[in-house]
Amino acid sequence: MMSVWNKIPFPAIAEHLPVTDRNVLAGLASASDVHAWTIAKVDEYRRLAFVLLSIYNVATPIHRLPTEILEQIFERRWDNRARLYLSHVCRRWRDILLPSARFWAGALESEEFDVSQAIPPYLKALLSRAKHNPRGISLRFWSFPLCVESLTLYFDRLVLLQVAANEDDLPDGLWPALRSGMSRLRDLCIQVLVTRRGLDECSDPNNYSRWAWFYDPYECTGWSKPSLLSADHLPSLTRLTCPPCILGHFSDILFRHVKLQWWELVVPDHIKQPYHEWIETLRALVDHDALETLEVMPWDFAAQIPSRTFAPATFPLLRYLRIENNFAQEIVQLMTLLLFPVTTRIHLVNSSSSYDPNISELLPQEDDAKLRAIVGAVDCVHIEQAQLVDTNTPDSYRNFYFIRCYAADLERLRMDKCTFSPDGLVDVFRDHARVTRLVLSLEESGVPLDFRAFPQLEDLDVSGPYVDYTLDLLRPIQSSRTERPMNTICPSLARLVVRLRNPVSPKEASTEFEDVVSGDRCSGLREVLARRATPYRNRLSYLEINLPPPKESGLGRSISQTTISGLRELVDGPVIVKSGE
């Protein structure tokens, strides 16, 4: 009987089979035998291929890394659930990942869970795998469950808890969980949310009953239920983020970091916080003399608070103070009621979308000693100009400034989204600080600057598309042709750095800017330096001019050698010109 081998056209593939397999196949008499033998051989070769691939993988560089290093790499790769595929790459990776408590703890920390209805199986699995993490576990909930029995096993492992809860979750869900005890909890963040129905009711100006929950929590029946939380319940808690009305529900806990914040949709713009809640919050702050950082985020007050009604709260260990508000007056009010060391870093933020206050409005001008304590150590000031789209006027911008003040290279004071006037600068800095270095980053000419605010200035760094107006302010003020100027501007100025930039808008890339980089406008700088150099001996010891990189329009050419030679005659030291940096 002729074998199947001779009936099937195998010549094209037969040469790929081992000799022994060809001999076996040639001895098979029926197609069914060929089928059975082929399937068995396929399984055998598949297992062999997997073995060979495993050997290949073991020999790759990443598999030669120690298990501990691979585990650390995997920990840094988690950003969402898609990273679960890492456990399906190979057997070794799976063997490393499944028992890695730190990997699963990172997964927990990176996600926010909605547990309003029930605890999802995915969360239970993560908790089970992460519970032995030596650094503890972190949980973020969109809402906190009323039934937390399945979570209580993990409360003693929690180091961070963030809860975005509605009004019912707080007294009936979150508070009992906190009072049950969380011995390792260090960081607690509570965001108070409302339902869409509640938000609609709150927006109704005639619905005064709805306002009570937002602005009268101490009289709200829901908030009368929770008992105080003490150090017995939360012995490790040092950092708290919550609305100001919640702070009073903690007792004898020595917070080191407190952030008081209303979330955006919670506080309607047309209503301000009542006087008594403001006072109650300040009273709750008094006992926190171990505080190291304090942040008071958007928080409007209904009326001016007389300082005599409240003794200033003293924070001898405070390192950082941030106050954000829509009204400069209320920022100043809070600052006057807080006592802190002169080394405290202060960050003031104007959160108004329609008004940018002058820097003098953000600081306690009426208290000369307080102002001197805030800026007295400042020796360097950075002023950066920026633009913001005006929401009230389409296609228009308004200019505002970020001002940073440093003392010995450490940031001491920062003011965001404000403006300044010549008088404002003088009022804040001239008599209260010894500023020797000033850095200006300006986007337009005509900035209201008065260098008399910095009489001891030694180092000036100016950058922007147009700096001619600013530099012209250094020109000595001549009272008559024969007399010495009454006020020599910055007589100690020794170093000047000018950094020219290309305009942001192509429309502004005009002949005027071309004059700047071609040297004509630097001739104006030469005139200013000449007026300072003779006969009053206010000469520079260092001058540096940085030109912008060339653009298609041809802007960014080098300054003429004639101009550079003229500048060198007026400087007792190097004159450096850098192009295209």
Side-chain angles (χ1 to χ4, degrees), residues 40-59:
K41 216 60 181 171
V42 166
D43 290 339
E44 177 185 341
Y45 284 143
R46 181 184 291 116
R47 290 193 297 271
L48 179 60
F50 287 156
V51 170
L52 292 174
L53 286 174
S54 297
I55 295 173
Y56 174 84
N57 287 337
V58 169

Side-chain angles (χ1 to χ4, degrees), residues 71-87:
E71 188 175 358
Q72 292 183 27
I73 293 174
F74 295 149
E75 289 174 23
R76 289 163 174 77
R77 284 296 299 158
W78 184 280
D79 49 17
N80 56 54
R81 298 189 190 185
R83 293 297 175 258
L84 289 172
Y85 77 83
L86 291 172
S87 63

